[in-house]
Amino acid sequence: MKDADGKRDEAEVARDESISSKKGAALATGPALYLVATPIGNLEDITLRGVRVLKEVDVIACEDTRQTQKLLNHYGITTRTISYHEHNEMTRSAELVKEMQEGASIALVTDAGMPGISDPGFRLISLAIRHHLPVVPIPGASAFLAALVASGLPTDSFRFSGFLPAKRGERRAALEAIRTSPRTQVFYEAPHRIVEALADVCEVLGNARHVVIAREVTKLHEEFLRGRAGEVLETVKSRDGVKGEITLLIGRAEEGDARVERGDSARLSVRQRIEQILVEEKVDEKSALKKVAKERGISKSEAYRELQRSK
Protein backbone atom coordinates (compact mmCIF):
# COMPACT_ATOMS: atom_id res chain seq x y z
CA MET A 1 0.00 0.00 0.00
CA LYS A 2 1.03 3.65 -0.49
CA ASP A 3 0.43 6.57 1.86
CA ALA A 4 -0.90 9.97 0.87
CA ASP A 5 2.48 10.99 -0.47
CA GLY A 6 2.65 7.94 -2.70
CA LYS A 7 5.27 6.17 -0.54
CA ARG A 8 5.06 2.43 0.08
CA ASP A 9 4.30 1.13 3.55
CA GLU A 10 7.52 0.12 5.37
CA ALA A 11 6.08 -3.26 6.29
CA GLU A 12 5.29 -3.94 2.63
CA VAL A 13 8.79 -2.97 1.55
CA ALA A 14 10.30 -5.23 4.23
CA ARG A 15 8.04 -8.12 3.18
CA ASP A 16 9.05 -7.75 -0.49
CA GLU A 17 12.72 -7.63 0.45
CA SER A 18 12.28 -10.78 2.51
CA ILE A 19 10.61 -12.56 -0.41
CA SER A 20 13.35 -11.41 -2.77
CA SER A 21 16.01 -12.63 -0.33
CA LYS A 22 14.38 -16.05 -0.07
CA LYS A 23 14.17 -16.31 -3.86
CA GLY A 24 17.85 -15.44 -4.09
CA ALA A 25 18.75 -18.02 -1.48
CA ALA A 26 16.93 -20.69 -3.46
CA LEU A 27 18.74 -19.96 -6.73
CA ALA A 28 21.48 -22.53 -6.24
CA THR A 29 19.23 -25.48 -5.47
CA GLY A 30 18.10 -28.16 -7.87
CA PRO A 31 19.77 -29.26 -11.12
CA ALA A 32 20.99 -26.30 -13.15
CA LEU A 33 24.06 -24.89 -14.87
CA TYR A 34 25.24 -21.56 -13.41
CA LEU A 35 27.55 -19.44 -15.56
CA VAL A 36 29.48 -17.49 -12.94
CA ALA A 37 31.61 -14.50 -13.91
CA THR A 38 34.89 -14.35 -12.00
CA PRO A 39 37.34 -11.47 -11.47
CA ILE A 40 39.59 -10.50 -14.38
CA GLY A 41 42.38 -9.44 -12.05
CA ASN A 42 41.13 -7.89 -8.82
CA LEU A 43 39.71 -10.55 -6.50
CA GLU A 44 37.14 -8.08 -5.19
CA ASP A 45 35.43 -7.95 -8.60
CA ILE A 46 32.94 -10.77 -8.01
CA THR A 47 29.32 -10.27 -7.03
CA LEU A 48 27.82 -11.33 -3.72
CA ARG A 49 25.48 -13.57 -5.68
CA GLY A 50 28.42 -15.14 -7.48
CA VAL A 51 30.14 -16.01 -4.19
CA ARG A 52 26.96 -17.48 -2.76
CA VAL A 53 26.29 -19.63 -5.82
CA LEU A 54 29.84 -20.98 -5.78
CA LYS A 55 29.32 -21.95 -2.14
CA GLU A 56 25.97 -23.63 -2.69
CA VAL A 57 26.37 -25.63 -5.91
CA ASP A 58 27.44 -29.27 -5.82
CA VAL A 59 30.44 -28.86 -8.08
CA ILE A 60 32.41 -26.10 -9.83
CA ALA A 61 33.68 -26.82 -13.35
CA CYS A 62 36.90 -24.82 -13.85
CA GLU A 63 39.06 -23.94 -16.83
CA ASP A 64 42.05 -24.35 -14.49
CA THR A 65 41.35 -25.75 -11.03
CA ARG A 66 44.59 -24.29 -9.64
CA GLN A 67 43.71 -20.78 -10.80
CA THR A 68 40.14 -21.01 -9.50
CA GLN A 69 41.34 -22.37 -6.16
CA LYS A 70 43.00 -19.01 -5.43
CA LEU A 71 39.59 -17.33 -5.69
CA LEU A 72 37.86 -20.04 -3.66
CA ASN A 73 40.46 -19.84 -0.90
CA HIS A 74 40.09 -16.06 -0.75
CA TYR A 75 36.35 -16.38 -0.07
CA GLY A 76 36.47 -19.54 2.05
CA ILE A 77 34.64 -21.65 -0.55
CA THR A 78 35.09 -25.41 -0.15
CA THR A 79 32.91 -26.67 -3.01
CA ARG A 80 34.33 -29.59 -5.01
CA THR A 81 36.02 -28.60 -8.29
CA ILE A 82 36.52 -30.43 -11.57
CA SER A 83 38.44 -29.45 -14.69
CA TYR A 84 36.63 -28.26 -17.79
CA HIS A 85 38.82 -26.87 -20.57
CA GLU A 86 39.28 -26.92 -24.34
CA HIS A 87 41.10 -30.26 -24.28
CA ASN A 88 38.43 -32.23 -22.41
CA GLU A 89 35.21 -30.27 -22.98
CA MET A 90 33.83 -32.81 -25.46
CA THR A 91 33.74 -35.67 -22.96
CA ARG A 92 33.44 -33.58 -19.80
CA SER A 93 30.33 -31.79 -21.11
CA ALA A 94 28.47 -35.10 -21.38
CA GLU A 95 29.61 -36.10 -17.88
CA LEU A 96 28.44 -32.83 -16.35
CA VAL A 97 25.07 -32.97 -18.10
CA LYS A 98 24.59 -36.50 -16.75
CA GLU A 99 25.33 -35.22 -13.23
CA MET A 100 22.73 -32.47 -13.64
CA GLN A 101 20.18 -34.97 -14.91
CA GLU A 102 20.78 -36.89 -11.70
CA GLY A 103 20.04 -33.78 -9.63
CA ALA A 104 23.35 -31.91 -9.30
CA SER A 105 23.78 -28.15 -9.54
CA ILE A 106 26.93 -27.07 -11.36
CA ALA A 107 28.74 -23.75 -11.66
CA LEU A 108 30.92 -23.11 -14.70
CA VAL A 109 33.82 -20.68 -14.30
CA THR A 110 36.84 -19.74 -16.38
CA ASP A 111 40.17 -18.31 -15.27
CA ALA A 112 38.79 -14.79 -15.62
CA GLY A 113 35.60 -13.12 -16.80
CA MET A 114 32.38 -14.54 -18.16
CA PRO A 115 32.29 -18.20 -19.22
CA GLY A 116 31.85 -18.68 -22.96
CA ILE A 117 33.46 -15.37 -23.97
CA SER A 118 36.69 -16.38 -25.76
CA ASP A 119 36.86 -19.24 -23.26
CA PRO A 120 35.48 -22.80 -22.99
CA GLY A 121 31.78 -23.15 -22.24
CA PHE A 122 29.79 -23.23 -25.46
CA ARG A 123 29.63 -27.03 -25.74
CA LEU A 124 28.41 -27.50 -22.18
CA ILE A 125 25.92 -24.64 -22.42
CA SER A 126 24.42 -25.86 -25.70
CA LEU A 127 24.28 -29.46 -24.47
CA ALA A 128 22.52 -28.43 -21.25
CA ILE A 129 19.96 -26.47 -23.26
CA ARG A 130 19.36 -29.43 -25.59
CA HIS A 131 18.60 -31.56 -22.53
CA HIS A 132 16.19 -28.92 -21.19
CA LEU A 133 18.33 -28.12 -18.16
CA PRO A 134 18.17 -24.59 -16.71
CA VAL A 135 21.10 -22.36 -17.70
CA VAL A 136 21.45 -19.40 -15.34
CA PRO A 137 23.86 -16.49 -16.00
CA ILE A 138 25.48 -14.92 -12.94
CA PRO A 139 26.86 -11.70 -14.49
CA GLY A 140 29.99 -9.86 -13.46
CA ALA A 141 33.42 -8.84 -14.73
CA SER A 142 34.21 -8.89 -18.45
CA ALA A 143 37.56 -7.74 -19.81
CA PHE A 144 36.35 -6.36 -23.12
CA LEU A 145 33.43 -4.44 -21.58
CA ALA A 146 35.66 -2.91 -18.89
CA ALA A 147 38.13 -1.85 -21.57
CA LEU A 148 35.41 -0.49 -23.84
CA VAL A 149 33.69 1.76 -21.32
CA ALA A 150 37.01 3.28 -20.18
CA SER A 151 38.49 3.59 -23.67
CA GLY A 152 36.92 6.91 -24.59
CA LEU A 153 35.79 5.47 -27.93
CA PRO A 154 32.07 5.52 -28.89
CA THR A 155 30.06 2.83 -27.11
CA ASP A 156 26.70 3.37 -28.81
CA SER A 157 27.61 0.78 -31.43
CA PHE A 158 30.43 -1.73 -31.14
CA ARG A 159 31.47 -5.24 -32.14
CA PHE A 160 33.50 -7.73 -30.12
CA SER A 161 35.28 -10.31 -32.26
CA GLY A 162 37.44 -12.24 -29.82
CA PHE A 163 41.12 -12.69 -30.69
CA LEU A 164 42.57 -11.31 -33.89
CA PRO A 165 43.86 -14.09 -36.16
CA ALA A 166 47.45 -15.06 -35.37
CA LYS A 167 48.48 -15.44 -39.03
CA ARG A 168 49.35 -12.18 -40.72
CA GLY A 169 47.32 -12.75 -43.88
CA GLU A 170 44.19 -13.67 -41.96
CA ARG A 171 44.69 -10.78 -39.56
CA ARG A 172 45.03 -8.27 -42.39
CA ALA A 173 41.92 -9.69 -44.04
CA ALA A 174 40.02 -9.21 -40.76
CA LEU A 175 41.21 -5.60 -40.62
CA GLU A 176 40.30 -5.02 -44.27
CA ALA A 177 36.77 -6.14 -43.42
CA ILE A 178 36.39 -3.30 -40.86
CA ARG A 179 38.05 -0.58 -42.93
CA THR A 180 34.83 1.40 -43.32
CA SER A 181 33.12 0.15 -40.17
CA PRO A 182 30.80 2.72 -38.52
CA ARG A 183 31.29 1.16 -35.08
CA THR A 184 34.01 0.60 -32.48
CA GLN A 185 35.79 -2.72 -32.95
CA VAL A 186 37.03 -4.70 -29.95
CA PHE A 187 39.57 -7.53 -30.04
CA TYR A 188 41.71 -9.49 -27.65
CA GLU A 189 45.38 -9.78 -28.59
CA ALA A 190 48.38 -11.65 -27.23
CA PRO A 191 51.16 -9.40 -25.88
CA HIS A 192 53.83 -10.94 -28.12
CA ARG A 193 51.75 -10.09 -31.22
CA ILE A 194 50.55 -6.59 -30.34
CA VAL A 195 53.34 -4.78 -32.23
CA GLU A 196 52.64 -6.80 -35.40
CA ALA A 197 48.91 -6.24 -35.00
CA LEU A 198 49.32 -2.48 -34.61
CA ALA A 199 51.64 -2.36 -37.62
CA ASP A 200 48.92 -4.07 -39.67
CA VAL A 201 46.33 -1.61 -38.33
CA CYS A 202 48.52 1.25 -39.55
CA GLU A 203 49.02 -0.29 -42.99
CA VAL A 204 45.44 -1.40 -43.55
CA LEU A 205 43.42 1.26 -41.71
CA GLY A 206 45.92 4.12 -41.66
CA ASN A 207 48.17 5.77 -39.09
CA ALA A 208 45.43 8.24 -38.16
CA ARG A 209 42.86 5.63 -37.03
CA HIS A 210 41.98 6.04 -33.35
CA VAL A 211 43.01 3.03 -31.25
CA VAL A 212 43.20 2.14 -27.58
CA ILE A 213 45.28 -0.56 -25.93
CA ALA A 214 43.84 -1.61 -22.58
CA ARG A 215 46.43 -3.63 -20.67
CA GLU A 216 46.14 -5.46 -17.35
CA VAL A 217 42.67 -4.01 -16.68
CA THR A 218 41.75 -4.07 -12.94
CA LYS A 219 45.26 -5.24 -12.03
CA LEU A 220 48.12 -3.43 -10.32
CA HIS A 221 49.72 -2.26 -13.57
CA GLU A 222 46.50 -1.32 -15.38
CA GLU A 223 47.21 0.91 -18.37
CA PHE A 224 45.35 2.58 -21.24
CA LEU A 225 47.27 3.77 -24.29
CA ARG A 226 45.02 6.06 -26.33
CA GLY A 227 45.77 7.86 -29.57
CA ARG A 228 46.27 7.52 -33.30
CA ALA A 229 47.44 4.10 -34.47
CA GLY A 230 50.83 5.37 -35.62
CA GLU A 231 51.50 7.12 -32.32
CA VAL A 232 50.46 4.15 -30.19
CA LEU A 233 52.58 1.82 -32.34
CA GLU A 234 55.67 3.95 -31.76
CA THR A 235 54.97 4.01 -28.01
CA VAL A 236 54.70 0.23 -27.85
CA LYS A 237 57.76 -0.32 -30.05
CA SER A 238 59.84 1.88 -27.78
CA ARG A 239 59.31 -0.46 -24.86
CA ASP A 240 61.34 -3.50 -23.95
CA GLY A 241 58.53 -5.93 -24.61
CA VAL A 242 54.86 -5.84 -23.67
CA LYS A 243 53.33 -8.05 -20.99
CA GLY A 244 49.88 -8.77 -19.64
CA GLU A 245 46.34 -9.27 -20.88
CA ILE A 246 45.55 -6.93 -23.77
CA THR A 247 42.34 -5.63 -25.32
CA LEU A 248 42.76 -3.75 -28.60
CA LEU A 249 40.02 -1.27 -29.49
CA ILE A 250 39.80 0.34 -32.91
CA GLY A 251 37.73 3.46 -33.49
CA ARG A 252 35.14 3.65 -36.23
CA ALA A 253 36.04 5.06 -39.65
CA GLU A 254 35.85 8.82 -39.76
CA GLU A 255 34.14 10.84 -42.46
CA GLY A 256 36.67 12.41 -44.78
CA ASP A 257 39.18 9.60 -44.32
CA ALA A 258 40.73 9.13 -47.75
CA ARG A 259 40.64 5.38 -47.26
CA VAL A 260 36.89 5.51 -46.73
CA GLU A 261 36.30 7.85 -49.68
CA ARG A 262 38.04 5.59 -52.15
CA GLY A 263 36.00 2.64 -51.00
CA ASP A 264 36.90 -0.73 -49.60
CA SER A 265 39.85 -1.88 -51.69
CA ALA A 266 39.44 -5.42 -50.39
CA ARG A 267 36.33 -5.71 -52.54
CA LEU A 268 38.24 -4.80 -55.68
CA SER A 269 39.89 -7.43 -57.84
CA VAL A 270 43.68 -7.49 -57.95
CA ARG A 271 43.59 -5.87 -61.38
CA GLN A 272 41.20 -3.12 -60.23
CA ARG A 273 43.28 -2.42 -57.11
CA ILE A 274 46.51 -2.24 -59.14
CA GLU A 275 44.91 0.21 -61.56
CA GLN A 276 43.75 2.28 -58.59
CA ILE A 277 47.25 2.41 -57.13
CA LEU A 278 48.79 3.29 -60.52
CA VAL A 279 46.49 6.31 -60.79
CA GLU A 280 46.67 7.47 -57.16
CA GLU A 281 50.31 6.84 -56.32
CA LYS A 282 52.01 7.20 -59.72
CA VAL A 283 54.13 4.06 -59.33
CA ASP A 284 54.99 1.30 -61.79
CA GLU A 285 52.99 -1.91 -62.11
CA LYS A 286 55.62 -3.98 -60.31
CA SER A 287 55.47 -1.75 -57.24
CA ALA A 288 51.67 -1.72 -57.35
CA LEU A 289 51.58 -5.52 -57.56
CA LYS A 290 53.92 -5.78 -54.56
CA LYS A 291 51.70 -3.45 -52.52
CA VAL A 292 48.52 -5.37 -53.36
CA ALA A 293 50.16 -8.67 -52.40
CA LYS A 294 51.21 -7.15 -49.06
CA GLU A 295 47.74 -5.68 -48.43
CA ARG A 296 46.10 -9.06 -48.94
CA GLY A 297 48.67 -11.17 -47.16
CA ILE A 298 49.49 -13.24 -50.27
CA SER A 299 52.68 -13.83 -52.25
CA LYS A 300 53.58 -11.66 -55.25
CA SER A 301 53.39 -14.72 -57.51
CA GLU A 302 49.86 -15.47 -56.32
CA ALA A 303 48.83 -11.85 -56.90
CA TYR A 304 50.41 -12.00 -60.36
CA ARG A 305 48.51 -15.19 -61.26
CA GLU A 306 45.24 -13.56 -60.20
CA LEU A 307 46.11 -10.51 -62.28
CA GLN A 308 46.73 -12.66 -65.35
CA ARG A 309 43.46 -14.54 -64.87
CA SER A 310 41.52 -11.28 -64.84
CA LYS A 311 42.99 -9.95 -68.09
Side-chain angles (χ1 to χ4, degrees):
M1 294 179 63
K2 296 181 179 180
D3 60 21
D5 295 324
K7 296 180 180 180
R8 298 176 65 195
D9 180 82
E10 290 183 4
E12 183 180 359
V13 172
R15 183 174 66 253
D16 286 351
E17 289 178 347
S18 175
I19 293 173
S20 176
S21 177
K22 290 178 180 177
K23 286 182 178 179
L27 276 175
T29 60
L33 176 63
Y34 295 90
L35 311 177
V36 183
T38 54
I40 58 176
N42 190 317
L43 289 179
E44 294 180 353
D45 292 335
I46 186 170
T47 65
L48 295 174
R49 184 185 177 203
V51 171
R52 180 174 55 75
V53 168
L54 292 179
K55 287 181 177 180
E56 295 182 358
V57 292
D58 297 304
V59 63
I60 303 172
C62 318
E63 182 181 7
D64 184 337
T65 54
R66 294 166 300 180
Q67 182 69 21
T68 300
Q69 196 61 51
K70 298 174 185 177
L71 176 68
L72 302 185
N73 291 342
H74 184 78
Y75 286 99
I77 299 171
T78 59
T79 306
R80 177 172 67 93
T81 61
I82 190 171
S83 66
Y84 177 86
H85 46 71
E86 60 180 334
H87 302 297
N88 72 356
E89 62 177 335
M90 184 79 76
T91 55
R92 188 52 54 83
S93 293
E95 294 171 5
L96 293 173
V97 165
K98 185 173 184 296
E99 284 196 41
M100 286 186 281
Q101 289 177 321
E102 294 173 351
S105 57
I106 294 175
L108 175 64
V109 300
T110 57
D111 290 348
M114 197 72 196
I117 302 297
S118 293
D119 276 320
F122 173 74
R123 288 184 183 278
L124 176 57
I125 294 166
S126 59
L127 190 61
I129 291 172
R130 286 207 302 272
H131 285 82
H132 307 290
L133 292 164
V135 175
V136 183
I138 309 296
S142 172
F144 85 84
L145 280 177
L148 175 64
V149 296
S151 69
L153 296 176
T155 59
D156 57 328
S157 180
F158 66 90
R159 178 180 178 181
F160 171 67
S161 301
F163 280 89
L164 273 171
K167 294 182 178 179
R168 186 166 186 265
E170 295 176 2
R171 183 170 60 239
R172 291 174 68 90
L175 293 172
E176 287 281 2
I178 64 169
R179 182 195 293 276
T180 60
S181 171
R183 59 186 57 85
T184 299
Q185 302 287 333
V186 188
F187 300 95
Y188 288 151
E189 185 54 288
H192 64 277
R193 289 198 301 264
I194 189 60
V195 172
E196 295 177 10
L198 280 173
D200 286 339
V201 169
C202 289
E203 290 188 28
V204 177
L205 305 180
N207 289 328
R209 195 68 166 254
H210 285 285
V211 301
V212 176
I213 289 180
R215 189 178 69 85
E216 295 288 83
V217 174
T218 79
K219 299 180 183 178
L220 180 62
H221 300 292
E222 175 180 283
E223 179 182 34
F224 286 85
L225 296 177
R226 305 177 178 90
R228 303 285 184 173
E231 299 167 349
V232 175
L233 173 59
E234 290 306 312
T235 298
V236 174
K237 286 171 65 176
S238 68
R239 298 184 176 184
D240 184 21
V242 180
K243 298 179 180 179
E245 302 289 334
I246 290 176
T247 302
L248 172 63
L249 303 99
I250 302 174
R252 58 193 180 195
E254 298 178 1
E255 292 184 14
D257 188 329
R259 292 171 179 266
V260 174
E261 290 177 349
R262 78 185 182 209
D264 188 352
S265 64
R267 297 183 179 180
L268 301 178
S269 67
V270 168
R271 179 180 59 78
Q272 291 171 325
R273 179 62 178 140
I274 287 176
E275 291 174 351
Q276 186 182 63
I277 293 173
L278 291 174
V279 172
E280 294 181 354
E281 303 183 18
K282 311 299 182 184
V283 298
D284 58 35
E285 186 175 287
K286 183 178 179 181
S287 298
L289 181 66
K290 182 179 179 180
K291 179 170 183 176
V292 172
K294 187 176 182 180
E295 284 180 349
R296 304 189 179 203
I298 61 178
S299 65
K300 286 189 291 183
S301 59
E302 185 177 347
Y304 180 75
R305 287 194 296 272
E306 187 173 332
L307 173 64
Q308 293 302 310
R309 286 195 295 268
S310 65
K311 284 185 176 180

Short mmCIF file of all heavy atoms in Angstrom, two decimals, residues 252-276:
data_model
loop_
_atom_site.label_atom_id
_atom_site.label_comp_id
_atom_site.label_asym_id
_atom_site.label_seq_id
_atom_site.Cartn_x
_atom_site.Cartn_y
_atom_site.Cartn_z
N ARG A 252 35.86 3.76 -34.97
CA ARG A 252 35.14 3.65 -36.23
C ARG A 252 35.76 4.56 -37.28
O ARG A 252 36.47 5.52 -36.97
CB ARG A 252 33.67 4.01 -36.03
CG ARG A 252 33.41 5.40 -35.48
CD ARG A 252 31.98 5.51 -35.03
NE ARG A 252 31.64 6.81 -34.48
CZ ARG A 252 30.55 7.05 -33.76
NH1 ARG A 252 29.70 6.07 -33.51
NH2 ARG A 252 30.29 8.25 -33.29
N ALA A 253 35.51 4.25 -38.55
CA ALA A 253 36.04 5.06 -39.65
C ALA A 253 35.46 6.46 -39.58
O ALA A 253 34.27 6.64 -39.28
CB ALA A 253 35.68 4.40 -40.98
N GLU A 254 36.29 7.44 -39.82
CA GLU A 254 35.85 8.82 -39.76
C GLU A 254 35.50 9.35 -41.14
O GLU A 254 36.11 8.97 -42.14
CB GLU A 254 36.97 9.70 -39.16
CG GLU A 254 37.33 9.33 -37.74
CD GLU A 254 38.47 10.19 -37.22
OE1 GLU A 254 38.94 11.07 -37.97
OE2 GLU A 254 38.87 10.00 -36.06
N GLU A 255 34.50 10.21 -41.19
CA GLU A 255 34.14 10.84 -42.46
C GLU A 255 35.31 11.68 -42.93
O GLU A 255 35.96 12.38 -42.15
CB GLU A 255 32.90 11.72 -42.29
CG GLU A 255 31.63 10.93 -42.00
CD GLU A 255 30.42 11.83 -41.92
OE1 GLU A 255 30.53 12.99 -42.35
OE2 GLU A 255 29.38 11.36 -41.45
N GLY A 256 35.57 11.63 -44.23
CA GLY A 256 36.67 12.41 -44.78
C GLY A 256 37.96 11.63 -44.84
O GLY A 256 38.94 12.09 -45.44
N ASP A 257 38.00 10.44 -44.23
CA ASP A 257 39.18 9.60 -44.32
C ASP A 257 39.35 9.19 -45.78
O ASP A 257 38.45 8.61 -46.38
CB ASP A 257 38.99 8.35 -43.44
CG ASP A 257 40.26 7.51 -43.34
OD1 ASP A 257 41.03 7.50 -44.31
OD2 ASP A 257 40.44 6.86 -42.29
N ALA A 258 40.51 9.44 -46.34
CA ALA A 258 40.73 9.13 -47.75
C ALA A 258 40.51 7.67 -48.04
O ALA A 258 40.06 7.29 -49.12
CB ALA A 258 42.16 9.53 -48.16
N ARG A 259 40.81 6.82 -47.05
CA ARG A 259 40.64 5.38 -47.26
C ARG A 259 39.17 5.02 -47.36
O ARG A 259 38.79 4.06 -48.02
CB ARG A 259 41.30 4.61 -46.11
CG ARG A 259 42.80 4.74 -46.11
CD ARG A 259 43.40 4.14 -44.85
NE ARG A 259 44.85 4.26 -44.89
CZ ARG A 259 45.67 3.31 -45.33
NH1 ARG A 259 45.17 2.18 -45.76
NH2 ARG A 259 46.96 3.48 -45.34
N VAL A 260 38.32 5.77 -46.66
CA VAL A 260 36.89 5.51 -46.73
C VAL A 260 36.35 6.03 -48.06
O VAL A 260 35.54 5.40 -48.72
CB VAL A 260 36.15 6.19 -45.56
CG1 VAL A 260 34.66 6.03 -45.72
CG2 VAL A 260 36.63 5.61 -44.24
N GLU A 261 36.82 7.22 -48.47
CA GLU A 261 36.30 7.85 -49.68
C GLU A 261 36.58 7.03 -50.93
O GLU A 261 35.81 6.99 -51.86
CB GLU A 261 36.90 9.25 -49.83
CG GLU A 261 36.40 10.23 -48.79
CD GLU A 261 37.06 11.58 -48.91
OE1 GLU A 261 38.05 11.69 -49.66
OE2 GLU A 261 36.59 12.52 -48.25
N ARG A 262 37.72 6.34 -50.95
CA ARG A 262 38.04 5.59 -52.15
C ARG A 262 37.42 4.20 -52.14
O ARG A 262 37.59 3.42 -53.07
CB ARG A 262 39.55 5.49 -52.31
CG ARG A 262 40.22 4.46 -51.44
CD ARG A 262 41.72 4.55 -51.61
NE ARG A 262 42.40 3.55 -50.83
CZ ARG A 262 43.61 3.71 -50.34
NH1 ARG A 262 44.26 4.84 -50.55
NH2 ARG A 262 44.18 2.76 -49.65
N GLY A 263 36.72 3.89 -51.06
CA GLY A 263 36.00 2.64 -51.00
C GLY A 263 36.83 1.53 -50.38
O GLY A 263 38.01 1.70 -50.10
N ASP A 264 36.23 0.40 -50.22
CA ASP A 264 36.90 -0.73 -49.60
C ASP A 264 37.70 -1.47 -50.66
O ASP A 264 37.14 -2.22 -51.45
CB ASP A 264 35.86 -1.64 -48.96
CG ASP A 264 36.49 -2.74 -48.13
OD1 ASP A 264 37.72 -2.89 -48.18
OD2 ASP A 264 35.73 -3.45 -47.46
N SER A 265 39.02 -1.29 -50.65
CA SER A 265 39.85 -1.88 -51.69
C SER A 265 39.83 -3.40 -51.65
O SER A 265 40.13 -4.06 -52.65
CB SER A 265 41.29 -1.38 -51.56
OG SER A 265 41.85 -1.81 -50.33
N ALA A 266 39.47 -3.96 -50.50
CA ALA A 266 39.44 -5.42 -50.39
C ALA A 266 38.39 -6.02 -51.30
O ALA A 266 38.45 -7.19 -51.67
CB ALA A 266 39.18 -5.83 -48.94
N ARG A 267 37.40 -5.21 -51.67
CA ARG A 267 36.33 -5.71 -52.54
C ARG A 267 36.70 -5.61 -54.02
O ARG A 267 35.99 -6.10 -54.89
CB ARG A 267 35.04 -4.95 -52.27
CG ARG A 267 34.51 -5.16 -50.85
CD ARG A 267 33.20 -4.45 -50.64
NE ARG A 267 32.70 -4.67 -49.29
CZ ARG A 267 31.56 -4.16 -48.84
NH1 ARG A 267 30.81 -3.41 -49.61
NH2 ARG A 267 31.18 -4.41 -47.60
N LEU A 268 37.79 -4.92 -54.30
CA LEU A 268 38.24 -4.80 -55.68
C LEU A 268 39.03 -6.04 -56.08
O LEU A 268 39.65 -6.69 -55.25
CB LEU A 268 39.13 -3.56 -55.84
CG LEU A 268 38.52 -2.21 -55.47
CD1 LEU A 268 39.56 -1.11 -55.63
CD2 LEU A 268 37.30 -1.90 -56.34
N SER A 269 39.04 -6.35 -57.36
CA SER A 269 39.89 -7.43 -57.84
C SER A 269 41.33 -6.95 -57.80
O SER A 269 41.61 -5.75 -57.64
CB SER A 269 39.51 -7.81 -59.27
OG SER A 269 39.82 -6.74 -60.16
N VAL A 270 42.28 -7.87 -57.94
CA VAL A 270 43.68 -7.49 -57.95
C VAL A 270 43.95 -6.50 -59.07
O VAL A 270 44.64 -5.49 -58.89
CB VAL A 270 44.58 -8.73 -58.09
CG1 VAL A 270 46.03 -8.33 -58.40
CG2 VAL A 270 44.54 -9.57 -56.81
N ARG A 271 43.38 -6.76 -60.23
CA ARG A 271 43.59 -5.87 -61.38
C ARG A 271 43.05 -4.47 -61.10
O ARG A 271 43.72 -3.46 -61.35
CB ARG A 271 42.92 -6.45 -62.63
CG ARG A 271 43.06 -5.55 -63.87
CD ARG A 271 42.37 -6.17 -65.07
NE ARG A 271 40.95 -6.40 -64.83
CZ ARG A 271 40.02 -5.46 -64.89
NH1 ARG A 271 40.37 -4.19 -65.15
NH2 ARG A 271 38.77 -5.75 -64.67
N GLN A 272 41.82 -4.41 -60.53
CA GLN A 272 41.20 -3.12 -60.23
C GLN A 272 42.02 -2.35 -59.18
O GLN A 272 42.20 -1.14 -59.29
CB GLN A 272 39.77 -3.32 -59.73
CG GLN A 272 38.82 -3.81 -60.80
CD GLN A 272 37.47 -4.20 -60.22
OE1 GLN A 272 37.39 -4.71 -59.10
NE2 GLN A 272 36.41 -3.95 -60.97
N ARG A 273 42.51 -3.07 -58.16
CA ARG A 273 43.28 -2.42 -57.11
C ARG A 273 44.61 -1.90 -57.67
O ARG A 273 45.06 -0.80 -57.31
CB ARG A 273 43.51 -3.40 -55.96
CG ARG A 273 44.34 -2.82 -54.81
CD ARG A 273 43.68 -1.63 -54.18
NE ARG A 273 44.47 -1.13 -53.06
CZ ARG A 273 44.66 0.15 -52.78
NH1 ARG A 273 44.11 1.08 -53.54
NH2 ARG A 273 45.39 0.52 -51.75
N ILE A 274 45.25 -2.68 -58.54
CA ILE A 274 46.51 -2.24 -59.14
C ILE A 274 46.29 -0.98 -59.97
O ILE A 274 47.07 -0.01 -59.89
CB ILE A 274 47.12 -3.36 -60.00
CG1 ILE A 274 47.70 -4.46 -59.11
CG2 ILE A 274 48.21 -2.81 -60.93
CD1 ILE A 274 48.24 -5.65 -59.85
N GLU A 275 45.22 -0.97 -60.75
CA GLU A 275 44.91 0.21 -61.56
C GLU A 275 44.66 1.42 -60.67
O GLU A 275 45.06 2.55 -60.99
CB GLU A 275 43.69 -0.06 -62.43
CG GLU A 275 43.96 -1.09 -63.54
CD GLU A 275 42.70 -1.46 -64.30
OE1 GLU A 275 41.59 -1.06 -63.86
OE2 GLU A 275 42.80 -2.16 -65.33
N GLN A 276 44.01 1.20 -59.53
CA GLN A 276 43.75 2.28 -58.59
C GLN A 276 45.05 2.86 -58.04
O GLN A 276 45.24 4.08 -57.95
CB GLN A 276 42.87 1.76 -57.45
CG GLN A 276 42.41 2.82 -56.48
CD GLN A 276 41.57 2.22 -55.35
OE1 GLN A 276 42.07 1.41 -54.57
NE2 GLN A 276 40.31 2.61 -55.29
#
